Amino acid sequence: MNKSSDSTTENATNNVTRHVTVAVIGAGTAGQNAFRTASKTTKNVVIINDGFWTTTCATVGCMPSKLLVAAASRAHDAQHSDQFGIHADVRIDGKQVMARIQAERNFFTHNVKKQVDSWPNDKKISGRAHINKDGLIEVNDELIKADKIIVATGSSPFIPDNWTDKLGKTLLTTDNVFGLSDLPTSMAVIGAGSVGLEIAQSMSRLGVAVTLFNRENRVGGLQDDDINKKAIECLGHGLTMELNSKVDDVGTCSDDKKPTAFVKYKDSDGQAQEWQGEYVLVATGRRNNIEQLGIENLDVELDDKNRPKDLDINTGQIGDLEVYIVGDANAHIPLLHVASDEGFSAGSSVCPNNTDADMRPPSIPLSIIFCEPQIANIGMTLPEVEDSGLHYVIGEVSFDTQGRSRVMGVNCGLLHIYSCKETDKILGASMVGPDAEYIAHIMAVAITNELTIKALLDTPIYHPTIVEGLRTALRDVQDKMAIPYQAQLTQEDGF
């Protein structure tokens, strides 16, 4: 470094207002966990946050969306009870639906805020952090030097270029949809991932005229074609979907009282179409909030999708730098339970004697979408299994004829279990069906603890339950395993 650079760095250091052992930037699930864990081993820690201190999940994510799903489920059950001989007149009060969502959301956020409020005031800074060229953190009127930095800045809804200007007040994202005072009359939902599916189906069940758009003939990110086909069939019973469509333009039509949104698109046959309605909900994914932070000034390199290179998925550490990027900020697996574990591990890793750190290993991939029927993916995906070189079988069960599912009137679904022939263990699974959230957890436990198919089948499963469907699929795996191994190789390899 030349003398001029030395002088600049020295001047910058002289202006430092605070020198801390650990600085956490971002106070979502990962950041709060990191701060709490680091605080157990060092008192010289600070957490910096721009915006609400109540986590994305509680404020605009998991909890308000599940409150919407719960209301929609009650409405759907009441409206479709005729098959049980129950005839009901249902009136949906949109204002009351939204008021409950907001009241219960406030309950959840209050509990999070109460914990944050218990932290020492001198450890919390509200403001937007920027890392300058000297690697110092600028926030408000402070210049902070941190020996170790944990970045947990979360993510934001992705909105395609110019859509904000084109749609104006008719544009909705998860940041504002749960703040509506009443249910809308109509809505287009762009994107059939977890957010799009949950909100589209829920709004439709609550009487909103909904059309769901997706550029692929795929829902929920499903990579098993048979499960995807079944999911489209099950969800299509009560939801208008324009899959394999291409949105060409969005905007609003002039109106003296209220603007009307439009979506111009080509349908699956390539024919030009136009949708018009009250709102357009953009559910095209989320992007990590890292680009404007100045992370490059800490020698962190990002790839073309803004994901940090050299990421240790165990701790969030970047190479051998004293920089940890966790939660949605690293765009590894943007799920709450993963963010929680990453925050805990990063907070443990920065303790003074990190050889004693209690770090949680990466968990088995597990994702659940709370549409009805639910969608779940556990462990390896089918393409990953196919590319692994392992010899495998696929056990399956249809929930169309499964006993308890028919009793409950929720009999639409399909489960695939991918199992390794050599080890008799589960590699992964994909499912659309009732009680998927519970079946998924059983399989996640099985994969985590390396249980064999036989061990699972030796476990009692009560009758009559929907979980019995899991046993049927496991037995199907076992039956296919029973084919002589060499015969299987011959059949599959075409010898």
Side-chain angles (χ1 to χ4, degrees):
M1 185 180 291
N2 59 41
K3 290 184 178 180
S4 175
S5 298
D6 285 340
S7 176
T8 301
T9 302
E10 184 178 347
N11 289 336
T13 304
N14 290 337
N15 292 327
V16 166
T17 58
R18 196 186 309 205
H19 184 181
V20 298
T21 303
V22 180
V24 180
I25 304 176
T29 298
Q32 290 192 21
N33 239 5
F35 176 78
R36 283 194 300 268
T37 307
S39 296
K40 294 177 181 178
T41 56
T42 177
K43 301 302 179 186
N44 193 18
V45 58
V46 66
I47 183 167
I48 305 162
N49 187 60
D50 181 33
F52 54 79
W53 289 73
T54 53
T55 79
T56 296
C57 172
T59 311
V60 296
C62 322
M63 303 316 289
S65 65
K66 301 313 168 286
L67 286 163
L68 181 68
V69 169
S73 181
R74 291 293 180 92
H76 181 266
D77 288 347
Q79 291 167 333
H80 294 81
S81 59
D82 291 10
Q83 63 177 309
F84 299 96
I86 311 298
H87 304 278
D89 293 324
V90 180
R91 182 180 67 87
I92 297 172
D93 185 332
K95 290 184 178 180
Q96 189 175 348
V97 168
M98 297 309 299
R100 180 179 186 269
I101 289 171
Q102 290 152 21
E104 290 297 315
R105 176 183 64 179
N106 291 344
F107 169 81
F108 294 118
T109 57
H110 172 75
N111 286 342
V112 177
K113 187 69 164 56
K114 193 161 117 181
Q115 186 174 75
V116 170
D117 288 343
S118 71
W119 299 343
N121 287 331
D122 64 334
K123 305 296 184 186
K124 299 177 293 190
I125 300 175
S126 290
R128 175 165 294 189
H130 177 73
I131 300 166
N132 67 22
K133 292 182 179 179
D134 298 307
L136 304 176
I137 302 170
E138 299 174 353
V139 55
N140 302 337
D141 296 325
E142 290 211 54
L143 189 63
I144 301 172
K145 179 178 180 180
D147 297 333
K148 301 178 181 182
I149 296 178
I150 299 175
V151 176
T153 46
S155 61
S156 300
F158 171 73
I159 302 173
D161 290 343
N162 302 319
W163 280 29
T164 300
D165 293 335
K166 288 182 175 181
L167 289 168
K169 293 181 179 179
T170 68
L171 172 68
L172 294 175
T173 69
T174 50
D175 282 354
N176 61 359
V177 66
F178 303 115
L180 294 174
S181 61
D182 197 353
L183 291 170
T185 56
S186 56
M187 174 186 291
V189 177
I190 313 295
S194 58
V195 173
L197 280 180
E198 289 179 3
I199 295 180
Q201 185 188 58
S202 295
M203 287 291 185
S204 179
R205 288 181 162 190
L206 289 166
V208 181
V210 176
T211 300
L212 176 65
F213 295 87
N214 202 52
R215 63 185 177 184
E216 294 183 292
N217 189 37
R218 194 170 297 280
V219 296
L222 287 166
Q223 298 184 53
D224 183 316
D225 288 342
D226 290 339
I227 303 296
N228 180 63
K229 182 179 178 181
K230 190 64 180 180
I232 292 171
E233 175 194 329
C234 296
L235 293 167
H237 292 319
L239 180 61
T240 301
M241 295 187 284
E242 288 284 354
L243 303 179
N244 200 27
S245 61
K246 180 181 181 297
V247 175
D248 293 322
D249 196 16
V250 297
T252 59
C253 307
S254 297
D255 190 296
D256 293 338
K257 296 180 180 179
K258 194 173 184 181
T260 298
F262 68 78
V263 176
K264 294 182 178 180
Y265 66 99
K266 289 186 178 64
D267 62 21
S268 58
D269 295 323
Q271 299 298 310
Q273 305 285 355
E274 181 172 343
W275 172 93
Q276 289 191 7
E278 189 174 359
Y279 287 108
V280 175
L281 174 76
V282 179
T284 50
R286 298 179 69 90
R287 299 293 185 271
N288 57 340
N289 300 325
I290 201 171
E291 195 171 12
Q292 306 302 318
L293 183 61
I295 198 77
E296 69 279 0
N297 294 320
L298 296 174
D299 294 328
V300 174
E301 293 184 42
L302 304 178
D303 64 16
D304 58 356
K305 294 184 179 178
N306 272 351
R307 297 172 301 194
K309 297 179 179 179
D310 300 321
L311 174 74
D312 183 332
I313 60 172
N314 223 11
T315 65
Q317 186 170 13
I318 307 301
D320 58 0
L321 302 173
E322 294 292 1
V323 181
Y324 301 75
I325 304 180
V326 294
D328 286 9
N330 66 34
H332 172 228
I333 301 178
L335 296 172
L336 181 136
H337 70 279
V338 176
S340 178
D341 286 348
E342 289 178 353
F344 180 89
S345 295
S348 296
S349 298
V350 297
C351 68
N353 182 10
N354 63 16
T355 57
D356 297 330
D358 181 12
M359 287 172 286
R360 298 176 181 176
S363 58
I364 296 299
L366 169 65
S367 65
I368 300 168
I369 301 176
F370 292 85
C371 51
E372 293 183 359
Q374 296 174 341
I375 292 172
N377 291 289
I378 313 96
M380 296 172 69
T381 65
L382 181 55
E384 288 171 341
V385 171
E386 291 171 338
D387 292 342
S388 69
L390 297 170
H391 297 287
Y392 67 94
V393 299
I394 301 177
E396 71 173 42
V397 61
S398 168
F399 288 90
D400 297 3
T401 55
Q402 198 271 330
R404 182 65 186 280
S405 300
R406 290 188 67 85
V407 167
M408 302 301 293
V410 291
N411 50 307
C412 190
L414 180 67
L415 165 64
H416 276 180
I417 297 177
Y418 320 125
S419 185
C420 179
K421 292 178 182 177
E422 290 94 332
T423 64
D424 192 38
K425 294 175 184 176
I426 296 174
L427 300 170
S430 187
M431 172 182 180
V432 57
D435 279 2
E437 59 183 295
Y438 307 114
I439 293 172
H441 279 92
I442 293 171
M443 286 191 286
V445 169
I447 297 173
T448 300
N449 293 281
E450 300 185 347
L451 300 180
T452 63
I453 299 298
K454 182 181 183 305
L456 278 170
L457 284 171
D458 287 342
T459 303
I461 295 178
Y462 203 77
H463 173 78
T465 60
I466 291 174
V467 178
E468 285 181 296
L470 170 60
R471 183 173 60 192
T472 302
L474 291 170
R475 284 175 173 168
D476 190 39
V477 169
Q478 194 174 59
D479 288 345
K480 289 171 179 174
M481 292 285 199
I483 301 173
Y485 181 61
Q486 189 58 46
Q488 287 181 338
L489 293 180
T490 302
Q491 291 168 6
E492 290 183 1
D493 296 343
F495 295 146

